[in-house]
């Protein structure tokens, strides 16, 4: 009678991609690897150290890889392929105030937000969903450009967020 040890769980490497590609393969380290598409290990989809999931749509795709020795299957490791959607322009909120008012914090909805001072998106001036404009103390129109990005996809197009500072109206006295 030979009692074989249970093999350890494989070491897996997650991958990310943009829905525009390229789509990397998944990798795991072990001796006799088997890939499954379900945690119950009922749907075998591949064998070996590399696995091409064939996914191209945005989403999170977990795969379960096991190692085995003759007669003994070890625990699985979850290896995930995450495919991000191409980012769209975030939703910025335009603001109008009167000269002399406190300059409000500007906001934009989205993820991976970057604020720019120029429409060519060269001079980054802030990150995050909020931005506090500096040096706005006179009447005028101030445009800021905001983008969002997804891992593996880079930045999407910009939305223009406009801060309008109206002059204080002159009061004329009739004499």
């Amino acid at each position: 009678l030979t009692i074989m040890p249970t093999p350890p769980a494989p070491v897996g490497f997650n991958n990310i991609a943009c829905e525009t590609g390229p789509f990397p393969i998944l990798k795991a380290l072990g001796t006799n690897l088997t890939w499954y598409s379900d945690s119950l290990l009922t749907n075998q989809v591949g064998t070996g150290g590399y696995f091409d999931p064939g996914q191209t749509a945005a989403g999170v795709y977990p795969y379960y890889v096991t190692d085995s020795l003759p007669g003994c299957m070890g625990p699985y490791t979850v290896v995930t392929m995450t495919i991000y959607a191409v980012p769209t322009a975030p939703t910025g909120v335009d603001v109008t105030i009167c000269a002399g008012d406190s300059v409000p914090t500007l906001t934009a909805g989205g993820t991976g937000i970057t604020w720019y001072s120029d429409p060519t998106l060269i001079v980054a001036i802030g990150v995050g969903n909020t931005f506090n404009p500096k040096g706005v103390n006179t009447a005028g129109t101030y445009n800021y450009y905001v983008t969002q990005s997804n891992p593996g996809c880079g930045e999407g197009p910009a939305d223009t967020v406009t801060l309008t500072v109206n002059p204080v109206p002159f009061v004329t006295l009739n004499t």
Side-chain angles (χ1 to χ4, degrees):
L1 173 67
T2 303
I3 298 176
M4 302 294 292
T6 300
V11 174
F13 300 91
N14 298 327
N15 263 321
I16 65 168
C18 185
E19 68 183 344
T20 58
F23 302 101
I25 59 175
L26 296 178
K27 178 181 176 184
L29 300 176
T31 305
N32 187 27
L33 300 175
T34 304
W35 295 82
Y36 299 88
S37 64
D38 65 312
S39 63
L40 298 176
L41 309 179
T42 59
N43 187 31
Q44 182 180 332
V45 293
T47 59
Y50 298 96
F51 172 64
D52 182 357
Q55 304 293 348
T56 59
V60 178
Y61 303 96
Y63 291 92
Y64 306 84
V65 60
T66 63
D67 201 352
S68 63
L69 296 172
C72 296
M73 181 189 301
Y76 66 75
T77 297
V78 179
V79 182
T80 303
M81 168 65 82
T82 303
I83 301 175
Y84 290 94
V86 174
T88 59
T91 305
V93 179
D94 295 338
V95 177
T96 301
I97 62 171
C98 288
D101 289 350
S102 295
V103 177
T105 299
L106 302 178
T107 61
T111 59
I113 298 292
T114 303
W115 295 82
Y116 294 91
S117 63
D118 61 303
T120 57
L121 309 179
I122 293 175
V123 182
I125 54 175
V127 294
N129 293 84
T130 60
F131 174 69
N132 294 311
K134 304 284 189 239
V136 177
N137 53 14
T138 59
T141 301
Y142 301 87
N143 289 321
Y144 301 94
Y145 306 90
V146 61
T147 64
Q148 68 177 325
S149 60
N150 288 335
C153 291
E155 281 184 303
D159 183 30
T160 302
V161 178
T162 302
L163 171 60
T164 303
V165 180
N166 290 325
V168 176
F170 290 105
V171 176
T172 57
L173 299 175
N174 293 333
T175 55

